[in-house]
Amino acid sequence: QPPKKDAKSSAKQPQKTQKKKEGSGGGKAKKKKWSKGKVRDKLNNQVLFDKATYEKLYKEVPAYKLITPSVVSERLKIRGSLAKRALIELREKGTLFCTDITCNTFLMPFPIPGLIKQVVQHHSQVIYTRATKGDEA
């Protein structure tokens, strides 16, 4: 005689088929979506100096230990090209020759120490530092 079928064994059958359905989707996995990437905030830096920024340039920048166009651009919120020109101006303030401390009499000319001192000149980046009293150009 063939073995009798249990009601229990027939109840187990649907559970097995359900498990198979869940695991059978191996080849049909969802494709990974590409991330949009990080979005940077657009910098709204000034193209020209206003009076307040120009005063800030002469007041604060000569006190910085490391002075580069990128540092000045970031702190004063000005364009990099404007920062480069501003640093050239600060450096050249000290290359003027004066005849006397008061510039009245014609004595032996001597350079007035600049507001900043150039440390390194590279074709893409110039590094300056603050001018100290012991520096002579």
Side-chain angles (χ1 to χ4, degrees):
Q1 287 180 339
K4 293 182 180 178
K5 291 184 178 179
D6 261 350
K8 291 179 183 178
S9 65
S10 63
K12 287 182 182 178
Q13 204 93 19
Q15 288 177 351
K16 286 181 183 177
T17 55
Q18 284 177 354
K19 286 181 184 175
K20 273 190 177 180
K21 283 183 183 176
E22 289 172 13
S24 66
K28 304 249 181 182
K30 286 185 178 180
K31 282 190 176 181
K32 184 178 182 257
K33 302 260 181 172
W34 286 96
S35 65
K36 301 285 188 229
K38 293 182 179 178
V39 179
R40 272 184 62 197
D41 292 333
K42 190 172 180 348
L43 296 175
N44 194 13
N45 289 347
Q46 294 176 349
V47 182
L48 296 172
F49 280 114
D50 57 355
K51 191 174 181 181
T53 312
Y54 195 69
E55 287 172 1
K56 199 173 180 184
L57 172 78
Y58 274 86
K59 187 178 173 187
E60 293 181 10
V61 173
Y64 297 164
K65 211 168 202 176
L66 174 73
I67 305 167
T68 62
S70 52
V71 168
V72 173
S73 171
E74 188 178 328
R75 291 190 189 175
L76 297 182
K77 301 285 185 245
I78 58 175
R79 290 268 175 107
S81 55
L82 185 60
K84 276 186 196 176
R85 298 289 178 190
L87 292 180
I88 289 169
E89 183 180 314
L90 285 177
R91 185 190 69 209
E92 288 178 350
K93 284 286 182 187
T95 59
L96 299 173
F97 282 88
C98 186
T99 55
D100 190 13
I101 294 173
T102 58
C103 293
N104 291 342
T105 59
F106 291 97
L107 298 173
M108 192 77 168
F110 63 92
I112 301 170
L115 296 173
I116 58 175
K117 184 178 94 172
Q118 185 174 324
V119 179
V120 177
Q121 167 84 47
H122 191 263
H123 74 91
S124 61
Q125 183 75 297
V126 188
I127 299 174
Y128 301 93
T129 189
R130 59 184 172 205
T132 57
K133 290 182 181 179
D135 293 337
E136 288 299 318

